């Protein structure tokens, strides 16, 4: 089968989601209104709360939520077959991710920019807030600790990506100042992307690397430390100085990357060599249900998106209706990346025959980012004639910059959580931004080096929990939005149905993983998995109690009104 048909069907579905479904949800269910004054205008502290043009905010939001996940998840899940992966990505984007991301952004904006964990107190109750924030902090800890390892590994294995990755920070600082002085946004965008791609070419000619050993640590460990030092500084800067312009440039360069990849599909029209449904999986391979739905998270639906939507993006929302553009269109961008990833790792660009494809994908977990870079660079070469080595550097830089922006936002979000704890529990030290940042970074480094030794890879130890934990968080976020809608007397089925589906799949995956960890004697993962599953059950009980109470009160209110 030719990949162009998959791409066309996916694009048609996502266009329906953007032009029809998202408009219906935004106007009829969430009832967004530009007369509402957003927290960015209410508070406007010039650091975290800053009214931002929706195009610039979309760039920040998109690249913060994307990271490497919409590449990694689909590139692994293709092992079960490309058909289930494509179906989940397309339907997940339209009916799950877009509503989830837009809803979290809208709900937070209507509660003074509070994180999804903190606003759950107002929507459901105090106990829910405490439980919710445990899961949120755990997910952020996983993401930050692991993405530091992912970027460090990329710098070590792909030294050609080092120069453009760090040069992007310099360009962002310059562009941030120019945007503040009302320079033409389109011109800045063009110049910024040109400068970035010039450094991509320069990087491919001038690879850079740290010494193999320095200060008694490996090059990878030193990169991890440097990345967290940078993330700590970046998280304390006003969002307009670095976060917004860096993410905006990254968002634009991703669009360029998507144009190259999708354009190559239409010009080269590669065949799909991967099986539609893989009947030759290894004996130890877990069942596609429920594992598919936690393997592909970003690109279909992801709890981490709710943290970003309610953590940084809601504090920069200029207008209430911008939540649709930023939240739903950000999810469409992720879905588009996930879809082209499936094509890149399923077609002849990765392997010329079904047998060769099976050799690449010998087991679940094979392929991943490496398969995307290899398949994507060959696709770009076949379609556009760009040398495969240069295309490989371009895609590697894209992955690194995505992971970097997610890490930037992740550390900032951890700071928000700690500061919210300071407010809730009256701990004055936690309210201080610098102290909160040091605690956040300290927790990440403690996990990285405390659990992983001198390699700094400790985050990888608890990473197996991420899939189910992240999707449980997505279901809990949809639950908070649903309860909020029920209290407002609006239809909640558009969020409740996705919530129930994701919850069941994620909970089943968590139980299956619990059995796996128990059999392996991994008591750390057993303990953490039990905590997440118990928290999930308790939050659901709390929410059900609130819904029942509201339904009981509703008739008496109507009677008294009459």
């Amino acid at each position: 089968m030719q990949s162009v048909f998959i791409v066309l069907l996916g694009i048609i579905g996502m266009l329906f989601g953007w032009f029809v479904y998202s408009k219906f949800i935004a106007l009829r269910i969430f009832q967004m209104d530009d007369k509402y004054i957003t927290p960015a205008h209410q508070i406007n502290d010039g650091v975290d709360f800053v009214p931002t043009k929706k195009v610039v905010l979309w760039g920040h939001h998109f690249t913060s939520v994307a990271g490497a996940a919409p590449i990694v998840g689909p590139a692994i899940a293709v092992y079960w077959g490309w058909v289930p992966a494509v179906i989940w990505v397309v339907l997940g984007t339209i009916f799950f991710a877009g509503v989830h991301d837009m809803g979290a952004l809208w709900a937070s904006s209507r509660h003074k920019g509070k994180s999804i964990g903190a606003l759950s107190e107002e929507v459901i109750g105090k106990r829910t807030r405490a439980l919710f924030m445990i899961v949120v902090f755990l997910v952020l800890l996983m993401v930050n600790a692991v993405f530091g390892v992912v970027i460090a590994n990329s710098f070590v294995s792909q030294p050609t990506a080092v120069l453009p990755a760090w040069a992007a920070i310099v360009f962002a600082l310059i562009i941030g100042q120019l945007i503040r002085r009302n320079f033409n946004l389109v011109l800045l965008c063009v110049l910024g992307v040109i400068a970035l791609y010039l450094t991509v070419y320069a990087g491919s000619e001038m690879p850079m690397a740290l010494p193999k050993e320095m200060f008694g640590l490996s090059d990878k460990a030193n990169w991890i430390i440097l990345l967290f030092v940078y993330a700590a500084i970046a998280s304390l800067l006003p969002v307009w100085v670095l976060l917004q312009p860096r993410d905006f440039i990254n968002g634009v360069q991703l669009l360029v990357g998507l144009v190259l990849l999708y354009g190559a599909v239409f010009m080269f029209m590669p065949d799909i060599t991967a099986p539609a449904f893989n009947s030759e999986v290894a004996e130890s391979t877990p069942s596609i249900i429920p594992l598919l739905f936690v393997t592909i998270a970003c690109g279909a639906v992801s709890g981490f998106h709710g943290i970003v939507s309610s953590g940084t993006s809601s504090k920069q929302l200029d207008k209430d209706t911008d939540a649709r553009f930023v939240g739903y269109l950000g999810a469409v961008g992720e879905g588009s990346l996930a879809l082209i990833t499936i094509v890149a790792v399923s077609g002849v660009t990765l392997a010329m025959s079904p047998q060769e494809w099976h050799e690449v994908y010998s087991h679940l977990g094979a392929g991943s980012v490496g398969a995307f870079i290899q398949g994507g660079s060959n696709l770009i070469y076949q379609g556009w004639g760009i040398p495969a080595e240069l295309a490989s550097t371009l895609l590697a830089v894209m992955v690194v910059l995505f992971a970097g922006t997610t890490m930037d936002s992740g550390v900032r979000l951890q700071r928000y959580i700690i500061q919210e704890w300071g407010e809730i529990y009256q701990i004055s030290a936690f309210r201080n931004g610098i102290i909160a940042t040091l605690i956040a970074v300290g927790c990440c480094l403690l996990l990285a080096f405390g659990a992983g030794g001198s390699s700094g890879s400790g985050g990888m130890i608890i990473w197996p929990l991420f899939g189910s934990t992240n999707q449980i968080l997505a279901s809990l976020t949809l639950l908070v939005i649903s309860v909020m809608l029920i209290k407002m007397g609006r239809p909640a089925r558009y969020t409740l149905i996705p919530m129930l589906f994701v919850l069941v799949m994620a909970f089943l995956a968590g139980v299956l993983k619990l059995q796996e960890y128990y059999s392996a004697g991994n008591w750390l993962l057993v303990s953490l998995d039990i905590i997440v599953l118990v928290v999930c059950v308790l939050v659901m009980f709390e929410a059900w109690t609130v819904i029942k109470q509201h339904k009981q009160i509703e008739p008496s209110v109507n009677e008294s009104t009459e």
Side-chain angles (χ1 to χ4, degrees), residues 117-450:
L119 73 84
S120 66
E121 176 185 355
E122 294 184 31
V123 178
I124 301 177
K126 286 186 178 181
R127 284 178 295 191
T128 299
R129 175 203 67 203
L131 296 168
F132 212 118
M133 291 178 78
I134 292 172
V135 180
V136 170
F137 191 82
L138 183 59
V139 168
L140 286 172
L141 186 63
M142 290 180 195
V143 168
N144 291 336
V146 170
F147 273 37
V149 176
V150 169
I151 301 170
N153 285 339
S154 298
F155 282 163
V156 172
S157 63
Q158 198 92 21
T160 54
V162 173
L163 176 61
W166 290 103
I169 297 170
V170 178
F171 299 150
L173 290 168
I174 295 170
I175 290 170
Q177 295 297 326
L178 295 177
I179 289 176
R180 196 72 169 176
R181 289 162 175 75
N182 294 318
F183 274 67
N184 185 280
L185 187 60
V186 175
L187 179 61
L188 288 176
C189 172
V190 172
L191 292 176
V193 171
I194 290 173
L196 179 61
Y197 280 115
L198 285 175
T199 61
V200 169
Y201 175 76
S204 66
E205 297 295 319
M206 296 184 296
M208 301 175 68
L210 290 177
K212 290 294 182 184
E213 186 173 338
M214 188 169 60
F215 308 121
L217 295 172
S218 66
D219 50 354
K220 186 178 81 170
N222 281 307
W223 275 128
I224 291 171
I225 293 171
L226 285 172
L227 287 164
F228 274 108
V229 170
Y230 156 74
I233 296 170
S235 72
L236 288 167
L237 293 174
V239 289
W240 62 267
V241 172
L242 178 58
L243 188 69
Q244 287 178 354
R246 172 183 162 93
D247 291 359
F248 178 62
I249 290 298
N250 288 347
V252 174
Q253 69 96 15
L254 170 65
L255 286 178
V256 174
L258 287 176
V259 168
L260 289 175
L261 289 166
Y262 276 94
V265 169
F266 286 103
M267 288 187 287
F268 178 45
M269 294 191 177
D271 288 328
I272 296 295
T273 56
F277 298 92
N278 191 2
S279 59
E280 300 179 29
V281 297
E283 190 175 339
S284 59
T285 304
S287 170
I288 186 173
I289 296 175
L291 270 299
L292 172 71
F293 303 101
V294 299
T295 302
I296 300 181
C298 294
V301 65
S302 168
F304 179 72
H305 294 198
I307 305 176
V308 175
S309 293
S310 64
T312 57
S313 299
S314 64
K315 296 174 175 62
Q316 303 168 60
L317 204 63
D318 184 34
K319 298 178 181 178
D320 199 38
T321 53
D322 288 353
R324 174 175 171 249
F325 186 92
V326 175
Y328 198 96
L329 201 57
V332 168
E334 279 228 314
S336 302
L337 178 57
L339 184 65
I340 199 64
T341 296
I342 294 170
V343 171
V345 301
S346 300
V348 296
T349 53
L350 179 64
M352 296 304 294
S353 69
Q355 181 59 38
E356 288 173 329
W357 185 89
H358 280 290
E359 289 174 4
V360 174
Y361 275 87
S362 58
H363 60 276
L364 183 66
S368 192
V369 174
F372 168 74
I373 292 175
Q374 179 189 338
S377 59
N378 288 336
L379 179 61
I380 292 172
Y381 168 69
Q382 296 288 347
W384 298 93
I386 296 173
E389 185 176 345
L390 179 58
S392 176
T393 299
L394 187 151
L395 294 178
V397 169
M398 189 168 78
V399 172
V400 167
L401 290 181
F402 270 7
T405 53
T406 300
M407 193 175 169
D408 287 3
S409 297
V411 172
R412 185 179 289 263
L413 289 164
Q414 270 190 298
R415 167 167 70 83
Y416 291 163
I417 294 291
I418 294 167
Q419 287 181 302
E420 285 178 345
W421 277 336
E423 292 290 339
I424 293 167
Y425 300 110
Q426 297 298 303
I427 305 173
S428 57
F430 281 16
R431 298 177 199 169
N432 182 283
I434 295 175
I435 293 175
T437 300
L438 291 175
I439 293 172
V441 171
C443 288
C444 293
L445 289 175
L446 184 63
L447 174 61
F449 289 95

